[in-house]
Amino acid sequence: MSTYSITTPIYYVNAEPHLGHAYTTIAADIMARHHRRLGDDVFFLTGTDEHGNKVAQAAEERGLTPREHVDGLAPRFREMTGSVNASNDFFIRTTDPEHEAYVQRFVERLRAAGDIEKRTYGGLYCTACEGFYNEHDLVDGKCPVHGTEPVWLEEENYFFLLSRYQERLRQHYLEHPDWVRPRSRYNEALSFIEGGLDDISISRKSITWGIPVPWDPEQVIYVWVDALINYVSALTYAQPGADLESRYWPADIHLLAKDILKFHAVIWPALLWSAGYEAPRSEFIHGYLLMGGEKMSKTRGNVLDPFAVIEQRGVDPLRFYLFREVTFGQDGVISLEGFEQRYNSELANELGNLVSRVVSMIGKYRSGRLPGATDIDGGALAREGEAMVAAAGGQFSAVEITAALETVWEFVRRLNRYVEEEAPWKLAKDTDQAERLDGVLHGLAAGLRLVALTLHPVIPDTAIEILRRLGQPHEPADLLLAEARFDRLVAADVVAAPSLFPRIDVEA
Ligand code: MSP
């Protein structure tokens, strides 16, 4: 059995979780579920990043201690993880004492490797980024990411000698051309490395909300170093008594958006090498969900509140929409109108209706009993269905989530055309066509079963509900992709039920 370990960034608890956080968590969940159904031994990690200035300032603004602030907000992130139906194996908080102790041991290893030096450093610091900027990186004197003015920060700090790892990093990139995907992000990180790496400050003297530097408790460890280490620290205490570190490190894939590319694709491998670990096997950098600006705004009332959508329509429509609408890896605009449109046209009409029609035709023409396989058309539909499973399976494995959805959807449309072409209501009127009608109804049910199994990582509850309505087994072992064969449809009674996706009245 191969292992597959996947992570999301750990989110800052400076404010409430929003759709952007939910997006990465859902993406990681889709990949985790996909790999579980390939039979892999999966570990899926997410959590919260709770130290640093950004969080301390947010606490101060609310008149709370940092501890009160994070203890109040971290559960909101945990709830978000649950409400998007993420199947994470662990939820780490960087204020967990086990993590804090692990971070201290980790930085001791950097020091033992001779990669730490004390220096005085002054620079322009953006608190929102928790990072320093060079003058020439600023746009009109402002942070290119946040548009706020960085402040001058000068301190005597401990430095990690990142420059020592420049050549090793460059080699790593050249030897592992797929380690950062998409290619554009690989190129961006590599050219950053080739542009020359400065050593980085890894401690802060001016703030106290952080993990003390073990050999100098006057300073706390820089929040980004603290945060990155979560990916390994979690493995040491997620399951008491189990050594997950040797089982799941190196991580197979870190998922993140392009805002934090440099930390993950440049600094993190160097820190790991210095401390004697292997680098993660890969990183996948996705784009931004665009919600601001002209296209979407609060005043226009078309901001997508994930929690409201989930409450109204269930979580699967949101999961589906985000990955169907925005090509995973690229930026994309989302809107409530767009959501409702796709919900109605694809989930309600194309998928939901198809399920209802198939179940009701089997009810009407075969008393609710799935007809057995009949050899019609030389097994053409079976071949198409299994080709769809193979193609979409490969696309999911390649993190081409949107392409995989398109592959499945072409087959959903094919099944809808099949209903129209075969017109079972006409076949039912002609007793000579009984065998053909059996074959058509069987084919539709077998095809829908393949659709449900293939889509399971994206819309897990709906997939199980489709299988249930078709009378098909749906325990975890039944959801393996290897089970997605046309001839595995079992004899069963179908179950009639209300629409899977009641149409949204867009006018209202
Ligand atoms: N705490 C750091 C990460 C430390 S990881 C060791 C951090 N936190 S964050 O709360 O700002 O989360 C950033 C991440 O949230 C992005 O990399 C991305 O995964 C996700 N997103 C936040 N807003 C998003 C969009 N609008 N669109 C897509 N992803 C978004 O950075």
Side-chain angles (χ1 to χ4, degrees):
M1 196 197 291
S2 30
T3 54
Y4 183 77
S5 51
I6 181 161
T7 66
T8 72
I10 49 172
Y11 307 113
Y12 284 129
V13 290
N14 58 318
E16 293 277 330
H18 57 71
L19 189 62
H21 305 128
Y23 182 56
T24 314
T25 300
I26 297 169
D29 186 57
I30 292 171
M31 294 308 296
R33 289 177 186 268
H34 171 65
H35 279 268
R36 281 194 207 102
R37 56 93 173 261
L38 292 179
D40 290 349
D41 169 15
V42 171
F43 189 79
F44 167 16
L45 176 67
T46 186
T48 43
D49 185 354
E50 304 191 5
H51 292 126
N53 239 349
K54 190 176 168 117
V55 170
Q57 276 179 11
E60 201 180 305
E61 280 161 23
R62 294 173 67 206
L64 298 175
T65 65
R67 169 59 69 182
E68 288 165 343
H69 169 85
V70 299
D71 283 349
L73 268 179
R76 302 282 301 131
F77 281 82
R78 208 189 277 267
E79 276 162 40
M80 176 276 281
T81 311
S83 43
V84 301
N85 202 5
S87 60
N88 54 306
D89 295 285
F90 191 58
F91 188 99
I92 188 171
R93 296 182 56 185
T94 54
T95 49
D96 292 341
E98 296 92 336
H99 169 78
E100 296 185 343
Y102 192 93
V103 169
Q104 291 190 319
R105 291 198 296 276
F106 192 103
V107 297
E108 285 284 15
R109 294 170 76 137
L110 304 177
R111 191 160 79 128
D115 285 334
I116 300 286
E117 257 180 45
K118 198 173 192 179
R119 292 184 193 162
T120 302
Y121 184 75
L124 289 165
Y125 194 76
C126 170
T127 304
C129 290
E130 294 279 21
F132 282 104
Y133 276 98
N134 290 317
E135 203 90 55
H136 62 81
D137 293 327
L138 302 177
V139 179
D140 297 331
K142 297 196 169 128
C143 164
V145 179
H146 294 96
T148 49
E149 220 163 287
V151 291
W152 185 259
L153 196 70
E154 189 172 299
E155 287 186 347
E156 192 171 46
N157 294 145
Y158 293 97
F159 272 70
F160 172 65
L161 305 185
L162 180 64
S163 56
R164 287 187 174 171
Y165 290 88
Q166 174 163 341
E167 194 42 36
R168 182 158 175 197
L169 278 163
R170 206 177 75 84
Q171 275 310 320
H172 189 76
Y173 273 73
L174 300 180
E175 284 162 20
H176 303 91
D178 282 329
W179 107 272
V180 174
R181 286 173 293 168
R183 192 66 182 185
S184 54
R185 300 296 162 206
Y186 168 99
N187 289 336
E188 187 182 330
L190 178 57
S191 68
F192 181 80
I193 292 163
E194 288 177 335
L197 296 179
D198 292 331
D199 298 332
I200 56 163
S201 153
I202 61 142
S203 69
R204 294 287 180 270
K205 206 170 182 173
S206 52
I207 68 167
T208 52
W209 180 238
I211 304 172
V213 172
W215 61 87
D216 182 353
E218 298 256 287
Q219 305 226 5
V220 298
I221 295 163
Y222 176 40
V223 63
W224 262 104
V225 172
D226 165 353
L228 287 163
I229 295 170
N230 95 87
Y231 297 133
V232 280
S233 74
L235 300 175
T236 63
Y237 68 99
Q239 270 173 40
D243 174 18
L244 302 183
E245 199 174 324
S246 60
R247 186 157 147 206
Y248 296 117
W249 193 263
D252 288 278
I253 181 166
H254 290 324
L255 277 191
L256 49 133
K258 56 191 177 179
D259 51 341
I260 51 179
L261 173 70
K262 202 170 68 182
F263 294 104
H264 283 81
V266 181
I267 298 175
W268 179 223
L271 288 171
L272 284 163
W273 289 330
S274 169
Y277 298 74
E278 282 179 67
R281 292 209 175 88
S282 77
E283 301 188 350
F284 188 92
I285 322 299
H286 63 74
Y288 292 145
L289 293 181
L290 302 177
M291 294 180 282
E294 275 283 75
K295 294 217 170 67
M296 219 184 293
S297 69
K298 273 214 165 120
T299 40
R300 288 184 178 210
N302 60 349
V303 168
L304 205 63
D305 172 2
F307 306 104
V309 170
I310 291 169
E311 208 178 289
Q312 275 191 307
R313 312 286 170 206
V315 67
D316 282 356
L318 178 69
R319 293 172 61 111
F320 175 79
Y321 171 69
L322 293 176
F323 291 88
R324 180 92 172 114
E325 183 74 23
V326 180
T327 300
F328 194 57
Q330 297 174 15
D331 291 352
V333 174
I334 55 163
S335 68
L336 191 57
E337 286 92 329
F339 169 79
E340 291 179 340
Q341 214 165 43
R342 255 190 212 281
Y343 175 99
N344 277 341
S345 65
E346 299 190 341
L347 293 177
N349 288 357
E350 291 178 332
L351 182 60
N353 255 349
L354 179 65
V355 174
S356 300
R357 286 179 95 181
V358 170
V359 167
S360 97
M361 290 188 296
I362 292 168
K364 204 148 141 198
Y365 308 132
R366 291 296 177 262
S367 312
R369 187 76 185 158
L370 280 179
T374 313
D375 197 9
I376 57 169
D377 307 327
L381 195 65
R383 275 196 305 281
E384 282 179 55
E386 290 184 1
M388 175 279 287
V389 171
Q395 287 162 327
F396 277 118
S397 293
V399 206
E400 292 167 10
I401 301 173
T402 309
L405 281 176
E406 177 57 21
T407 300
V408 183
W409 226 257
E410 280 166 15
F411 188 65
V412 169
R413 290 179 174 149
R414 166 78 182 104
L415 292 177
N416 276 302
R417 284 196 308 275
Y418 191 68
V419 174
E420 294 308 319
E421 286 160 16
E422 295 296 330
W425 48 92
K426 286 188 192 150
L427 297 174
K429 290 192 184 130
D430 182 352
T431 42
D432 288 350
Q433 297 284 7
E435 204 178 299
R436 180 152 196 100
L437 180 57
D438 279 348
V440 168
L441 295 176
H442 178 92
L444 286 168
L448 265 180
R449 178 175 164 274
L450 297 187
V451 167
L453 289 174
T454 314
L455 285 181
H456 179 260
V458 183
I459 48 173
D461 292 346
T462 305
I464 286 176
E465 180 58 15
I466 295 174
L467 294 171
R468 193 186 71 80
R469 292 182 184 197
L470 295 172
Q472 301 302 301
H474 47 266
E475 292 300 315
D478 305 312
L479 302 173
L480 291 176
L481 198 61
E483 293 295 319
R485 297 217 336 246
F486 201 80
D487 64 6
R488 289 284 174 92
L489 189 75
V490 300
D493 290 322
V494 297
V495 180
S499 317
L500 277 174
F501 301 105
R503 280 187 66 85
I504 300 173
D505 181 355
V506 179
E507 295 305 307

